[in-house]
Structure formats: structure tokens, C-alpha cells
Amino acid sequence: MELSTRYNPAEIEERWYAHWEHRGYFRSTPDERKPFTIVIPPPNVTGVLHMGHMLNNTIQDILIRKARLDGKNACWVPGTDHASIATEAKVVRWLREEKKLRKADITREQFMEYAYQWKEKYGGIILNQLRKLGASCDWERTAFTMDSGYYRDVIRVFVDLYQKGKLYRGLRMVNWDPEAKTVLSNEEVLYNEENAQLFHIRYLLEDSDSEGITIATQRPETIFADVAVAVNPKDARYKNIVGKKVLIPLINRAIPVIADDYVDIEFGTGALKITPAHDPNDYEVGLRHQLEVIDTISDDGKINELCAYQPIIGLDRFEARKRMKPALEESGHLVKIEDYKTNIGRSERTNAVVEPKLSLQWFVRMSSLGEPALKAVLDEEVKFYPPSFQNLYRTWMENLRDWCVSRQLWWGQRIPAWYLASEAPSRETHVFVAETVDAALEIARQQTGNNQLQASDLRQDDDVLDTWASSWLWPISVFDGFAKPDGEIRYYYPTSVLVTGWDIIFFWVARMIMAGYEYKGQKPFEAVYFTGMVRDKLRRKMSKSLGNSPDALKLLEDFGADGVRYGLMSSAAAGGDILFDEKLCENGRNFCNKLWNALRLVKGWRVVENPESEEVARKNALAVSWLRNKFNAVLADVDNNFQQFRLSEALLTLYGFIWDDFCSWYLEMIKPGFEQPVDRDTYEATLDVFSQMMVALHPFMPFITEELWHQLRNRKEGDDCMKHGYPKSSSADISLIQKVETVKDIISKIRDIRNQNQVKPRDPLVVQARLSDSANALFEEAGLREMVLKMAVLSEFALTEEEPANAQSFVTGTEKYYVVLSKQIDVAAECAKVKQELEHQRGFVRSVEAKLSNERFVGSAPPQVVENERKKLADGQARIKILEESAVKLGCG
């Protein structure tokens, strides 16, 4: 079949993905093989494919395909996260816009029905999009964090932690999102420096018209929740008014002046308004001084009736702030307003300014859970790649705070806690925690002594659990590890590697490690590979607002999946930010075309049984031997890179070998003349190495490698690239590799001189090498001389003791070569080149001498490394001697 002139990824990708799925290659069931398991970081069920997803899932697919090729039982579990806040917001908007319904107008049960309808219609799109990328997940294992079994696991863990005393309900200062109307964990609050104003407000002493104290606040609308003014006990300015009372402006409510070491004498006026309901630090001060709590801001961010200042009741907090300025000016309490910059916390989900709020919530005690999780990473039982992320992990784990796991939403796992319907929710209410209402009723009867209680007498907690309180169980629950502890979980757990962004090292990675030790007594994964952030070429984070985030599906359409995968991975060192440029994908597409053209070239050759001459036989045999040895050296490099998760380096090593060594050099070495045939042995060897290269490259670029694998030879049914064994490296003849590298350098330099002197490419040249033992040894290697003659287009390539006339020279290794030209040599130009090369070689020798004079290096480096450096020094010194002789002969000044 005649091959098309260009590679067409669209048709080929669809065909091969369908073939792999039909053959069941992605499916995994436990057997006698060693498992290699990856669980996908579940994208939000609301998500669509973006650059971060493509990078993360490309890396996972590379690792899982490599494991299959290594003969392991590769299992990649896909799935989605229910993403409580994000999904509920989309469902609420969908109900409003398409169903003309408000959440407040329907019951919880109705809302959940609608939410599942939305999920079935719109959710999970991203998983189908991952197929276009080539993701070889076991789709039959697709999990969802709201699946019935998963839901049951989350509830079971909540009850278990409560019974162990590791989970409690308490009144705490939390981060409140007034837009989503839910609490946020500390990690869900993003802080950025923003412009703000500092209001300096005068509080008059009770029974005084002039004496008072000035405080500075960014939030004047909260002064009506003040319960004290605090000063430092060492501050001499205020020692006479401690214990007295001041009046809150506009409402004249008296509050005490107290002394507390928390107050910074140097900051602002040295006097601090204490508002326990709206500031976490003030709350702690309030606890120490037994101050009351007045909460003047409602859940929706509006000022409530506890404010006691009528003009701003019912207003949004920011509108109320605007109204405070004229009111304070008019009353004479506003001293000044000062512009300044400060860190403002905003909700990761809604971007609303977070409101510190005192709230009754559910918390997990983190101290005991955190200890084994920290030890596991520091002891490298769980290995981090790159290891530098251990420091970030340790910093967070050594400063753990209890985890608030309740959220004021409907979409999610409902908290399995019940209260007496007759009692108002409060801190003192009876709480019955159980997996079912029947179990809760039994506990309620025991605790209250009332055996007449019915299920209808109980009221379940309205809140749901934090999304992360379900996803921290992901590596266990996707294998049904709670319900069937002796089932598949024993084969697949712990998983092999987790691939994730470093930005959720606290949200998810740390908590999964905690859950692993708490519920399985062991780590959830052997290693964690942290990806960097995908940024644009200007190092900006990709975002819709900046317009710098490319359409992922459009990239796949324009460049093909293999092109995009290459583009991402060619700049994706572990942990480092990826500076993405579409040109990288273009490079990937060009690589595909290069491979395709190499296939067309090889398959277009006419094959005969025997070579046309002994010279061709020697040249081709040498080329094949060099290629195989070089490939072995490359495979050793690639294997080492895979072991260290240096996937970008592994890809670029293969790319360099295929593009340069195979396509640019080897194919030219063996390419027959116009309308000439190639011998059978060389042809078959070429197909063998070409095929093995496709297997080696397959994890990175699966579609084109599968296509070329089948185009190169007629394969038996089921003999597919993705199931073939990964090529194993054997010992490489380094001496042979180096000799051919020397020949390549000779050929390149002859071509450079040809171009500089405008000699036509097909006009034969005469080249002579200065006679020496090493030059003679090079010439004696079978095939090397023939290779130079052919590829450099020479009529003569011989050894000489005399420097020929009208010759331009060059140095390769420690040998000097002369290219004979039919014109006078430009001596000045030759001198300039010799001087430049001398300067370079002297600098090289100085650097090697410095290394060898370092006793620490010589004493600690492996002997072979030291010996290699000594050889470099000797070779460099030999090159300097040759160049100095050339300078003398040319008469260079």
C-alpha cells in the first residue's frame, strides 16, 4: 500500500484507540504479575480539559504504558470528584436559568434529584476528552466520589473517627464564604496583596468630651461588634486608662479598655479594637478576658440587627463600609484615612472576600493522624520527586491545625449526625453519630433513657462533608478497600505512584497518606511525582482573564495527540513550571512528520540479497553496528531517567537519537544511490531497530508509534506495539560509538568548509589526514574510511606526512585534517579561526586542570570519572599543540 505523503493524526488516532479498547488492553484484573497501579487525581465532575489536566494525564499515561511494556499488570483507575462547592453552584445556576427554580423553593431531596440529572447530562465530559489525549485508563473501573459504595465509605470513616475521639463538633473561628454561604478550609483561602484603607477612629472615654483613644481599622463597619479596646500592658501611653471604659462611636455603647500582650506597641496607634466575632486573633483575646461575642454580619455578608446602628442594617458589608466614612466624619470621630496595602483572603472558588466567622462546625483532630504521615515522607517510605518538596510538606505537617470538614451545602455526603428535633441546634444539643438513622435512634434511646423515641423525633445535620473528606479515601475506596479488605485492595494497594500538582500537597497528598496509615496501616503510594504549573512563555499563570490559556481540544485537533504530548513533555521537568508555547507542539508535529518520512524512505527502497560491493558491505555493517550500540547506550540512559521520574529527559534523549542519529546520520550512511538497491541484511537490521525505537518511544507518543510499528512489518494478530516488550539495554561498545562520533565530526567539518568556499555539494573533494598512530588506527577500522568518502563526497581520503598546498585545515579529536581546495587560501581568515579555536581549547584545558587540582573531586569521584577527566586534559593539550603548530606554519602573529 502506498503511504501518504503526510502523516494524518486524526484518522490514525481514532482507529488505534478503538483497536486498543476493543482488544481490552487497558483492562486490569489481579494475576501473577507484579502490579503497577495509578489512581487518577479525580478531576471535578464539572471540569473540561485544560493544560494542567493534559500535562498531568500525559505523565500518568507515559508511566502506565511503560509499565505494560515492562510486563507489569498496569492498572490506571479513572474517575471524577463530586466537587461540592463548584458543582452545587453550577446546579443552582442551571435550575435558575433552565428550570426557573430557586434552591430555596425546592426540598433537599428534589435538589439532589436535579443535581444527579445535571451530573448525568454535563458531568464527566473531561473523561471522554482524555481519550483523545490517548489516556489508557481502565474505563470499566471509572469511579465517582458520590457513588453509593464510595458514599458509604465516607460515612463509615466519619463515624469511626468520631468514635475514636478524632472528630468533634465545636464552636470555632472559621473562614466563611458569604457568596457560597459555606465554611472554607484554610487551604481554600487565597491571599494576595491588595489596596485598602485604614480608618483612624477616635473612641471617647466615658464621661469625657475630649479625652479618648484612637484605634486604626480596615473594617469600620464592624466597630458595632466591638467588646473592648486593648493596649499593651508595657505601653506607658495608655497605662492610666486601662480599666476605664470608652464609647463606641455613633451608638455610644461603653466597652472596657483592657491590657493584653498580643497588642503590638509599634503598630498603628498601639490600641486595638477587639471584635471576637469577626477576627480570629480578637477571638483568642476575648477568650482570655471572658468577653462576649456580638456577631453583626449574617451568613450572606449583610449587616444584621445586632449591629445597633440602624442606617447600615441590611446593607452588604462593603456598602456599609462606604456609609461609615461620612457618618464618622459628621460625628467628629474620624481622625484620618490612610491608604495602604495588605493581604486580603479570598475564596478559591468564588473569589469573595472571606469573612472570619464564629461557627459551630465539625472538625477532625489532626495531630495523631499527622505523625505517621510526616514520618513516612521524612523517612522516604513515600518518596517525593523532586525530593525538595519534602521541605514544603514538613513545614505544613509540623504546623497542623484541626481540619474543618463540614460545609453548608446540599451536594455531597451528608454528615451522619442526628439531633433531637425538639431541641434547637446549639453546642449543648445531644448529638447522635451513626451510619444510619436506625443506629442513631438506638444511641439516642440509650443516651436519653427515652425508649419511646421514634426516627421522626430526630433531625439529621443539614451540612455535608468537605470534598477533600471524601477524596482523601480515593486510593482505598476505588478498590472497595473498606467493604472488601481481603479483595482487590490487597493486590493493587499501595499504589505505585501518584502524579499531582504540588499546589494540592496539603489538600490531598498529605491527607491521603494520613488515611492510608489510619485505615490500611501503610502508605497509599510508593512515590509522588509533582508536576509544575503550566505557564505561558512570559511565565504568567494561564487563565481565562489573561486570554493566555489555549483551547486544549483545539491543540489536539491542530497538532495531534502525539504532537501535544511531545510539546508538553519536552519542557516538563519534574516539579518545575512548564513554560508552554504552541511552538513546542509544532515541534512535536514536525517530529511525527520526520518519523513518517523516515518510514516512507525506508519502505521505498528496493531490496536485494547481497550488497553491491565489499566497500558498501563494510560501510553498512559498521553503520548497523554503530546504531545498535548507540541505541543500547540510549536505552540505558532512558531506563535511568525513568527510574528517577526524569520523563522529559527520557523523551529528549530518545528524540535526539531518533532525529539526529537515526534519521539524519544512519539513514544517510546506508541510503543507496539513485535507483540503487539496499542489501537484505542492512534492510532487515534497519527495520528491527526502527521497530524497537517505536516501542521505546511508544509511552510518550503512542499513536504514531503504533501506526509505524504495523507499517514497518506485517504483524500477527495481537502483535501490537503497546503490548510488545520494552527493549532492554545491553552493553554498548563505547569505543565504536566514539569512533563513529569522530567520523561524524570529520564529515560535518568538511561540509562546513565546502559551504564556506561555495563548493557544490556533489563536487568531490580531496581530504588528507596528518599521519599518526591514532589516525592510522581510525583508518584501519572497517567501514570508517568508506563512510567518510561517501558522506563527505570525497574523491580521496588518505594519510599524509606533508601539509598539502592550498589546503584548509581543521582539528577533530587529536588529529589534523586538510581539505584541498582549488584556490588560494585566505591566510588572515585561517589565522583568525586558529586563534579562536586556540582560545577555546586553552579555556577548556584550564577548566579540566581546575577540576583535577581539586583534591576533594579526585578523592571522592569514581576512578573511571577521574580517568576520563585526565584523558580530556591530554586530548585538549594535544589539540593545543596541533593548533600552535598550525599558527606557526601560517605565520600568524
Side-chain angles (χ1 to χ4, degrees), residues 429-663:
T429 301
H430 288 90
V431 181
F432 316 115
V433 174
E435 293 184 35
T436 65
V437 65
D438 290 340
L441 180 61
E442 185 64 31
I443 296 170
R445 286 172 176 171
Q446 291 174 6
Q447 287 189 9
T448 63
N450 183 357
N451 288 327
Q452 303 304 311
L453 284 175
Q454 301 298 316
S456 58
D457 296 320
L458 301 183
R459 170 180 54 81
Q460 188 175 354
D461 198 307
D462 284 327
D463 292 350
V464 299
L465 283 161
D466 175 19
T467 293
W468 300 104
S470 59
S471 56
W472 75 322
L473 307 179
W474 186 250
I476 303 173
S477 287
V478 295
F479 295 114
D480 212 5
F482 288 99
K484 299 176 181 177
D486 294 323
E488 284 190 337
I489 188 81
R490 297 187 66 180
Y491 180 77
Y492 290 115
Y493 188 98
T495 64
S496 303
V497 59
L498 175 75
V499 180
T500 186
W502 60 262
D503 54 323
I504 55 174
I505 191 171
F506 318 130
F507 278 128
W508 195 43
V509 177
R511 289 168 180 164
M512 280 192 290
I513 297 174
M514 292 179 199
Y517 283 100
E518 182 70 14
Y519 289 103
K520 300 306 295 179
Q522 59 180 320
K523 59 192 174 186
F525 24 72
E526 302 284 347
V528 184
Y529 177 106
F530 289 106
T531 65
M533 292 290 189
V534 183
R535 300 183 182 276
D536 67 13
K537 55 188 176 184
L538 300 177
R539 295 188 175 274
R540 299 177 302 177
K541 187 175 180 180
M542 288 189 168
S543 68
K544 290 181 181 177
S545 60
L546 287 174
N548 64 346
S549 183
D551 182 333
L553 294 178
K554 184 71 165 55
L555 285 176
L556 292 171
E557 182 182 323
D558 291 346
F559 300 105
D562 290 326
V564 173
R565 287 166 69 117
Y566 173 89
L568 285 166
M569 292 308 302
S570 62
S571 59
D577 285 349
I578 289 84
L579 302 184
F580 182 77
D581 187 335
E582 282 194 16
K583 288 182 180 177
L584 296 168
C585 296
E586 189 176 334
N587 292 344
R589 183 178 61 189
N590 292 344
F591 187 28
C592 290
N593 287 330
K594 186 82 168 179
L595 290 167
W596 188 256
N597 289 333
L599 170 73
R600 292 180 67 236
L601 175 68
V602 172
K603 296 297 283 184
W605 287 339
R606 184 164 59 89
V607 182
V608 295
E609 291 305 315
N610 299 309
E612 58 186 274
S613 68
E614 283 299 317
E615 290 81 3
V616 171
R618 286 196 299 271
K619 171 182 66 67
N620 287 358
L622 176 69
V624 168
S625 181
W626 165 74
L627 183 71
R628 283 178 167 155
N629 278 280
K630 186 68 181 286
F631 190 37
N632 273 323
V634 164
L635 286 173
D637 247 1
V638 168
D639 184 59
N640 183 56
N641 283 326
F642 262 109
Q643 289 181 28
Q644 299 300 316
F645 292 93
R646 294 195 296 260
L647 304 186
S648 180
E649 292 86 342
L651 171 60
L652 293 176
T653 298
L654 286 169
Y655 170 86
F657 172 74
I658 294 170
W659 187 291
D660 295 328
D661 294 315
F662 180 74
C663 294

